[in-house]
Amino acid sequence: MFSLASTFLAACGGAGGEIVRPNDITGTDALGTTVQPCGAEPKLAQALVVDLDASSRVDLEASMKKGVAIVAYDCKSLRVLPSCKLANGDYEYAGVSRKEQVVQMTNQDDLNVNLPLSAGKIGADMKSGNSIDLALVLVGRRATTVERIDRAELTGSCDGATHFLQSASLGAFSMTTGSAGKIMAVADLFKIGSSGSSSASRNASSTDGSLEACRTADPDAPSPPPECRSPLSVQLHPLGGASAAKEPHGKEGKSGKEGKEPTPQESPCPRDFVFSGGICTRAGEAAHLCKPENGPDCREQCEKGSAESCYNYAAGKTVEKNEREAYYKKACDGGVANGCGWYGLYRWQGGDHSKSPANKEAIELARKGCSMGGSEACTMLGDFLWGYESAGPFSDLPGAVRAYERACALGDGEGCSASATQYLLGEGVGKDEVKAFALMNRACYGGYPSDCVRLGELLAKSRDHADPVRALSVAQFGCAQEADLCSLASKVALRIGKDADAFALAKSGCDRRAVWCEEVGDLHAEGKGVPKDLDKAKENWRRSCEAMRAEGLDGSDVCAKANGAPKQPSSKKR
């Protein structure tokens, strides 16, 4: 995840200035120049959307209410595809600690990259030393847990689709033409958009939202104020991008620091540009966000003052283990939300040290990162309040569930998985099967396919909320993500009487990892989903037996079946 600073792609301070009356503009009107396409392969992108036309803004917001928004994006334009649909996935809102920033762009390169939706030629005002001043106020984010979408999953009119919208930062903005080197305060820039004064030095403005409304925003509220919910920037994930399956989160959390993996801070900038001083710009002497895989540069840029690079260095493979804590601290001190969570994790002592002041400090660090919008920090806060590695005096089960739910709303599937478990068990919160199923569904499509099969099992056997159609759908999705889940998914299908689907699921697992061919053999032997055929049953049992021996697993049970011997108890683990 990006820090809140990079959410805006810009960060500058500023002093007050005169109030003026400009004419309405868009970024296109003010900036002009032609922007070059991103390149042949769509990549992770983050774009300001403050100059989207009114129709496109309506399409964007409407698409996010109906499901995951699919777009066509090429660095010079963003086109929402409202008729292109994904069957599963949604967005949830989470407030964050208010962040106010002012950006001033004074040269063609910076303008083109940081307002990528603009096109045309640089206007005369820019040549004469004027600038584009942009005030941004962030109060929350809407995010989906969906990490990856294949084109084959899309239906409808999807011509040109390149990305899906993973999250949108919400708040208010005011944009004007200004004077290079003369940076105004956030409040003054908003006054320009709403006042009736005028000035020759400021000839245009565009404002959406109210600064006053944003300053009343409560980070814990279920929605932003009505006049402070304009999309400011969007994080776009390329269709077909990579994601890794993760283990479900039970009440015990992870086994230790090494069991967690930090999400690196990726640059939102195109080739030949670096993220420096809050914007994408040409590389210079100033500190910039390093590439996560370049450990030496991450350390160098951290020492120069890039907090995001400190985080990447701490999370990388070249740092010494005894250095990680210090670099996560630098990241946290520099405003990287998840850096605070990770610093807290290294402060946490657990075990026999449950009364340690360091544990209390760890909770406050995670709480800080969570309030700033760090989804991983929220999950860690939940772990700490649950009693991570201990059941110490800081345990707060209701607080843990709230933290997990907030992580889920910020797009972290682990938080969804953890909170779903608590609603199922009624631990720290009242039992609520419907709520648990909804959270489990978000975890399922957020990188936790084990929760897909778990949800399928529950929907298949629920007394009050059984849903066979959905049970099969999520079980099939889980199997498609991870071969090791196909056997369990097959059992879900059998439970709801879908024998043919059960066989297809079992065969899918068998074809991708032969140890799971035992299930195919069992179905052949029982004549479920396929005609009864003991020869094919033995063939598949034999294949499973050989694969398990090759992987060093205990396959005595299936090997006995393959050899026609009486069934023997087995403790196989696959």
Side-chain angles (χ1 to χ4, degrees):
M1 296 290 181
F2 293 101
S3 69
L4 295 185
S6 61
T7 296
F8 288 135
L9 302 182
C12 298
E18 59 181 329
I19 306 304
V20 300
R21 178 179 173 80
N23 298 317
D24 289 344
I25 60 163
T26 66
T28 299
D29 296 329
L31 306 184
T33 195
T34 300
V35 182
Q36 297 301 315
C38 304
E41 287 294 324
K43 297 181 179 180
L44 177 74
Q46 188 155 305
L48 287 168
V49 291
V50 295
D51 61 344
L52 275 178
D53 60 74
S55 177
S56 296
R57 294 179 77 81
V58 170
D59 284 345
L60 176 65
E61 294 178 35
S63 293
M64 292 183 69
K65 290 178 180 178
K66 295 177 181 178
V68 176
I70 310 299
V71 304
Y73 177 73
D74 63 1
C75 285
K76 62 179 180 180
S77 65
L78 185 148
R79 180 166 53 94
V80 181
L81 304 176
S83 297
C84 187
K85 305 291 186 181
L86 178 71
N88 300 286
D90 59 6
Y91 296 93
E92 283 195 14
Y93 172 79
V96 301
S97 301
R98 190 181 75 253
K99 183 77 173 182
E100 299 183 3
Q101 294 182 318
V102 175
V103 154
Q104 184 174 84
M105 302 178 195
T106 59
N107 67 71
Q108 179 175 339
D109 281 346
D110 290 354
L111 291 173
N112 295 345
V113 172
N114 292 284
L115 286 174
L117 309 184
S118 302
K121 298 180 179 179
I122 291 292
D125 288 342
M126 189 60 63
K127 291 181 180 178
S128 63
N130 283 1
S131 63
I132 294 297
D133 296 346
L134 178 61
L136 298 155
V137 184
L138 170 71
V139 300
R141 187 163 70 235
R142 293 187 69 193
T144 179
T145 57
V146 174
E147 293 187 332
R148 184 182 190 279
I149 298 176
D150 286 323
R151 291 181 185 277
E153 298 177 66
L154 301 177
T155 60
S157 301
C158 300
D159 289 349
T162 60
H163 295 78
F164 71 93
L165 194 153
Q166 200 280 330
S167 66
S169 299
L170 306 182
F173 74 88
S174 184
M175 179 168 61
T176 82
T177 54
S179 299
K182 185 179 181 180
I183 302 175
M184 301 184 72
V186 168
D188 289 335
L189 286 171
F190 272 89
K191 287 179 183 177
I192 291 171
S194 59
S195 72
S197 60
S198 62
S199 171
S201 66
R202 305 203 181 264
N203 57 22
S205 77
S206 179
T207 298
D208 194 353
S210 163
L211 177 61
E212 290 73 21
C214 290
R215 287 180 172 174
T216 68
D218 179 359
D220 295 324
S223 62
E227 296 300 316
C228 187
R229 54 181 60 182
S230 176
L232 303 178
S233 68
V234 293
Q235 184 170 321
L236 306 173
H237 286 208
L239 297 177
S243 67
K246 301 160 188 173
E247 290 299 318
H249 193 307
K251 69 175 185 178
E252 299 302 326
K254 300 292 185 181
S255 60
K257 299 180 181 67
E258 301 306 320
K260 290 181 177 284
E261 293 293 335
T263 302
Q265 298 260 334
E266 299 284 353
S267 172
C269 303
R271 186 178 62 184
D272 299 329
F273 286 80
V274 296
F275 190 78
S276 177
I279 63 172
C280 292
T281 187
R282 299 285 183 183
E285 293 300 317
H288 63 259
L289 172 59
C290 67
K291 293 182 179 180
E293 65 273 14
N294 189 341
D297 185 54
C298 287
R299 181 166 187 162
E300 179 181 347
Q301 299 309 319
C302 173
E303 299 303 332
K304 285 185 176 181
S306 168
E308 293 88 354
S309 293
C310 296
Y311 178 85
N312 280 350
Y313 183 64
K317 298 179 179 180
T318 60
V319 64
E320 296 293 333
K321 288 186 178 181
N322 59 2
E323 292 184 308
R324 291 188 193 276
E325 182 177 332
Y327 280 94
Y328 279 131
K329 181 180 187 304
K330 288 185 177 183
C332 178
D333 291 345
V336 180
N338 283 330
C340 296
W342 282 93
Y343 178 39
L345 183 61
Y346 276 83
R347 295 295 297 155
W348 183 262
Q349 296 184 0
D352 294 334
H353 304 282
S354 59
K355 296 182 180 181
S356 167
N359 283 0
K360 185 175 182 179
E361 180 188 5
I363 290 173
E364 293 311 309
L365 285 165
R367 197 186 306 277
K368 174 183 176 182
C370 182
S371 69
M372 291 165 62
S375 60
E376 293 176 6
C378 292
T379 299
M380 291 177 190
L381 176 60
D383 286 348
F384 296 157
L385 294 177
W386 189 266
Y388 181 71
E389 297 181 332
S390 70
F394 304 120
S395 293
D396 174 2
L397 304 191
V401 177
R402 289 194 298 271
Y404 288 141
E405 285 193 84
R406 180 172 170 79
C408 179
L410 287 165
D412 182 40
E414 184 175 4
C416 304
S417 180
S419 50
T421 298
Q422 310 322 317
Y423 277 102
L424 275 179
L425 300 176
E427 295 181 334
V429 69
K431 280 189 177 183
D432 189 332
E433 194 174 70
V434 173
K435 181 75 170 178
F437 288 179
L439 289 163
M440 210 173 293
N441 192 72
R442 294 200 95 213
C444 165
Y445 295 102
Y448 287 78
S450 293
D451 274 35
C452 302
V453 177
R454 182 165 67 137
L455 176 58
E457 292 170 338
L458 293 168
L459 288 169
K461 67 182 181 182
S462 173
R463 184 180 62 183
D464 299 321
H465 305 103
D467 188 339
V469 174
R470 189 173 163 215
L472 179 60
S473 176
V474 293
Q476 288 172 327
F477 185 82
C479 170
Q481 304 306 305
E482 190 173 326
D484 289 353
L485 296 173
C486 293
S487 179
L488 292 175
S490 176
K491 289 178 172 59
V492 171
L494 287 174
R495 187 179 185 95
I496 60 175
K498 296 290 186 178
D499 291 1
D501 290 304
F503 181 80
L505 288 165
K507 189 174 187 306
S508 176
C510 170
D511 290 345
R512 290 145 64 196
R513 190 182 176 204
V515 295
W516 297 112
C517 292
E518 180 179 6
E519 184 76 15
V520 176
D522 290 346
L523 293 173
H524 273 297
E526 297 167 15
K528 290 186 176 180
V530 289
K532 188 171 183 178
D533 190 327
L534 292 179
D535 288 336
K536 288 186 177 180
K538 289 185 177 181
E539 176 186 335
N540 281 280
W541 290 333
R542 191 176 301 110
R543 186 179 173 193
S544 176
C545 171
E546 292 171 354
M548 292 187 75
R549 285 174 174 171
E551 293 188 26
L553 301 172
D554 178 6
S556 56
D557 187 353
V558 68
C559 292
K561 288 195 289 186
N563 294 324
K567 183 176 178 179
Q568 299 295 324
S570 171
S571 59
K572 63 181 178 225
K573 295 181 180 180
R574 295 177 287 193

